[in-house]
């Protein structure tokens, strides 16, 4: 278990004797869990990044006991609402999953090891569907022992950590949709990321044995005169709890592929490039990718139909994305 994930924030731990308003204490909740996210600073900014947190509760043996959901209003107010009842004197583990929406599915939740429970896209493994994106997920976990005394309210805080990378891809030098086809404004290029990380465990670790292809949507930006992604995310590419030296090769086997959909199916892609080589070959890019609020900026320039990955100008100038 990783010490960063199991950190017990003593400043936030509070055990209070609480008189239940009901005669039978068995009907009363006795646990309140709060959440925090520090991003790349030292202040809680969770409500700036998360609008929903699902809390999975496990007994000491790792068996699932239940799931609760905290919504935006509760997260913003840091509401001290007792959320469930647990047995006094027993040990428990909880895992918080941030922003698990339509692009997130939790699989194998009956497993008794957090390293075998995964976040993934609902479309992974379905040959009839393409994966197009991931949610901006966050993960955190906590172990604790309930007070022995009946009628005691236990309060604690789970710290969450990023499980994703925001990927911004801009493609210059290709004909616009209207230039490409006079009959349609349809995007006639297909972008894909092959060997993409398909699963992230409840330990917030990449399952390096499970890879797949993701097909982010492309839009054409008339202002910038480029094709680009919008709100595209991948699972992380570093081992943030064991290795702070940068991107790990096993976690970053991604290959960027761009195809011209007007060409024959047998035609070669118009561009292919390994993301690991690009990231590790550019120090400023790698620094952005290993942050909590990780960003992977990619600019693909075409000259005479020859493509080249370059670093966006904002990375070279000040290392901060223009949308921050």
């Amino acid at each position: 278990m990783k010490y960063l994930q199991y950190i017990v924030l003593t400043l936030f731990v509070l055990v209070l004797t609480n008189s239940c308003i009901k005669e039978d204490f068995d009907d009363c909740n006795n646990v309140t869990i709060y959440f925090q996210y520090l991003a790349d600073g030292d202040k809680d900014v969770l409500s700036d990044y998360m609008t929903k947190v699902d809390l999975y509760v496990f007994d000491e043996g790792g068996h699932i006991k239940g799931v609760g959901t905290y919504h935006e209003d509760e997260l913003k107010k840091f509401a001290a609402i007792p959320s469930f009842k647990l047995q006094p004197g027993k040990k428990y583990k909880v895992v918080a999953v941030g922003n698990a929406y339509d692009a997130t599915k939790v699989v194998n939740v009956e497993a008794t090891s957090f390293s075998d429970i995964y976040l993934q896209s609902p479309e992974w493994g379905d040959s009839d569907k393409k994966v197009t994106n991931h949610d901006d997920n966050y993960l955190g976990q906590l172990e604790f022992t309930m007070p022995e005394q009946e009628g005691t309210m236990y309060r604690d805080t789970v710290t969450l950590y990023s499980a994703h990378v925001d990927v911004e891809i801009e493609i210059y030098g290709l004909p616009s949709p209207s230039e490409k086809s006079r009959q349609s404004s349809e995007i006639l290029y297909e972008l894909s990321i092959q060997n993409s990380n398909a699963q992230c465990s409840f330990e917030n670790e990449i399952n390096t044995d499970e890879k797949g292809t993701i097909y982010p949507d492309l839009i054409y930006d008339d202002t910038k005169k480029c094709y680009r992604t919008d709100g595209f995310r991948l699972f992380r590419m570093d081992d943030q709890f064991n290795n702070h030296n940068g991107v790990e090769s096993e976690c970053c086997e991604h290959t960027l592929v761009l195809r011209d959909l007007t060409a024959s199916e047998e035609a070669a892609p118009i561009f292919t490039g390994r993301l690991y080589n690009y990231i590790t070959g550019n120090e400023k890019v790698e620094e952005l990718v290993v942050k909590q609020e990780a960003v992977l900026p990619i600019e693909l320039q075409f000259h005479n139909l020859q493509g080249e990955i370059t670093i966006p100008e904002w990375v070279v100038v000040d290392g901060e994305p223009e949308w921050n």
Side-chain angles (χ1 to χ4, degrees), residues 1-13:
M1 299 300 178
K2 310 300 181 288
Y3 76 96
L4 277 173
Q5 292 171 296
Y6 286 132
I7 186 169
V8 178
L9 303 171
T10 55
L11 291 177
F12 291 92
V13 177

Side-chain angles (χ1 to χ4, degrees), residues 52-71:
K52 182 170 80 88
V53 172
D54 297 312
L55 187 70
Y56 291 75
V57 183
F58 300 85
D59 64 18
E60 185 177 7
H63 304 96
I64 184 74
K65 305 302 291 183
V67 184
T69 298
Y70 298 74
H71 297 285

Side-chain angles (χ1 to χ4, degrees), residues 307-318:
E308 178 187 11
I309 290 184
T310 61
I311 306 174
E313 184 178 355
W314 65 261
V315 177
V316 179
V317 173
D318 57 13

Side-chain angles (χ1 to χ4, degrees), residues 118 197-199 205-211 248-253:
Y118 298 106
N197 297 322
Q199 294 180 325
E205 295 178 336
I206 295 302
N207 179 5
T208 57
D209 294 327
E210 191 73 21
K211 307 287 184 178
E248 292 284 315
S249 59
E250 289 187 347
C251 297
C252 187
E253 298 179 354

Side-chain angles (χ1 to χ4, degrees), residues 196-264:
S196 174
N197 297 322
Q199 294 180 325
C200 178
S201 77
F202 265 22
E203 298 277 16
N204 206 346
E205 295 178 336
I206 295 302
N207 179 5
T208 57
D209 294 327
E210 191 73 21
K211 307 287 184 178
T213 301
I214 189 166
Y215 299 84
D217 293 329
L218 281 177
I219 63 175
Y220 187 76
D221 190 319
D222 281 313
T223 301
K224 291 186 172 182
K225 303 301 179 185
C226 72
Y227 294 89
R228 65 176 176 85
T229 56
D230 185 28
F232 177 43
R233 307 172 192 92
L234 294 171
F235 285 131
R236 293 188 71 91
M237 302 172 180
D238 61 330
D239 186 353
Q240 58 181 318
F241 301 110
N242 287 322
N243 186 346
H244 303 284
N245 295 325
V247 169
E248 292 284 315
S249 59
E250 289 187 347
C251 297
C252 187
E253 298 179 354
H254 309 65
T255 298
L256 185 153
V257 177
L258 185 65
R259 293 184 178 275
D260 183 342
L261 295 179
T262 64
S264 66

Side-chain angles (χ1 to χ4, degrees), residues 7-289:
I7 186 169
V8 178
L9 303 171
T10 55
L11 291 177
F12 291 92
V13 177
L14 180 62
V15 179
L16 299 176
T17 301
N18 187 36
S19 57
C20 182
I21 60 173
K22 299 180 182 179
E23 293 182 3
D24 182 2
F25 186 77
D26 287 341
D27 292 333
C28 292
N29 294 324
N30 62 351
V31 180
T32 296
I33 296 293
Y34 302 100
F35 308 99
Q36 72 169 4
Y37 173 60
L38 305 180
D40 295 289
D42 56 6
K43 295 182 180 179
D44 178 27
V45 290
L46 183 140
S47 62
D48 293 339
Y49 295 95
M50 285 169 249
T51 55
K52 182 170 80 88
V53 172
D54 297 312
L55 187 70
Y56 291 75
V57 183
F58 300 85
D59 64 18
E60 185 177 7
H63 304 96
I64 184 74
K65 305 302 291 183
V67 184
T69 298
Y70 298 74
H71 297 285
E72 186 172 12
D73 288 345
E74 295 162 328
L75 297 173
K76 283 185 175 180
K77 295 175 182 177
F78 205 67
I81 301 174
S83 42
F84 46 89
K85 174 175 171 55
L86 298 176
Q87 291 296 314
K90 300 291 186 180
K91 292 183 179 181
Y92 294 92
K93 305 173 185 178
V94 295
V95 174
V97 181
N99 294 341
Y101 287 106
D102 291 342
T104 303
K105 181 180 181 180
V106 176
V107 297
N108 208 25
V109 74
E110 299 297 331
T112 55
S113 171
F114 289 169
S115 60
D116 295 325
I117 304 174
Y118 298 106
L119 305 184
Q120 66 176 45
S121 166
E123 281 76 37
W124 283 126
D126 188 336
S127 59
D128 295 327
K129 296 181 180 179
K130 288 184 177 181
V131 178
T132 59
N133 210 348
H134 292 290
D135 289 320
D136 49 342
N137 295 132
Y138 299 84
L139 284 160
Q141 59 177 268
L142 181 74
E143 288 188 55
F144 58 89
T145 301
M146 287 296 295
E148 296 279 356
Q149 183 181 355
E150 285 278 3
T152 299
M153 175 62 70
Y154 181 81
R155 305 177 191 270
D156 212 334
T157 297
V158 177
T159 300
L160 287 90
Y161 300 89
S162 169
H164 71 280
V165 179
D166 290 321
V167 183
E168 294 287 334
I169 302 174
E170 296 182 347
I171 305 170
Y172 293 87
L174 293 177
S176 69
S178 59
E179 294 170 329
K180 185 74 172 171
S181 172
R182 297 182 183 277
Q183 288 78 33
S184 172
S185 60
E186 181 183 359
I187 303 295
L188 296 176
Y189 296 101
E190 178 188 74
L191 178 66
S192 64
I193 309 294
Q194 298 178 1
N195 294 321
S196 174
N197 297 322
Q199 294 180 325
C200 178
S201 77
F202 265 22
E203 298 277 16
N204 206 346
E205 295 178 336
I206 295 302
N207 179 5
T208 57
D209 294 327
E210 191 73 21
K211 307 287 184 178
T213 301
I214 189 166
Y215 299 84
D217 293 329
L218 281 177
I219 63 175
Y220 187 76
D221 190 319
D222 281 313
T223 301
K224 291 186 172 182
K225 303 301 179 185
C226 72
Y227 294 89
R228 65 176 176 85
T229 56
D230 185 28
F232 177 43
R233 307 172 192 92
L234 294 171
F235 285 131
R236 293 188 71 91
M237 302 172 180
D238 61 330
D239 186 353
Q240 58 181 318
F241 301 110
N242 287 322
N243 186 346
H244 303 284
N245 295 325
V247 169
E248 292 284 315
S249 59
E250 289 187 347
C251 297
C252 187
E253 298 179 354
H254 309 65
T255 298
L256 185 153
V257 177
L258 185 65
R259 293 184 178 275
D260 183 342
L261 295 179
T262 64
S264 66
E265 292 185 2
E266 294 78 19
I270 61 174
F271 183 83
T272 302
R274 286 200 63 201
L275 295 189
Y276 180 79
N277 295 341
Y278 166 67
I279 295 169
T280 58
N282 297 282
E283 183 177 353
K284 287 189 175 182
V285 173
E286 189 164 15
E287 288 175 357
L288 292 171
V289 172

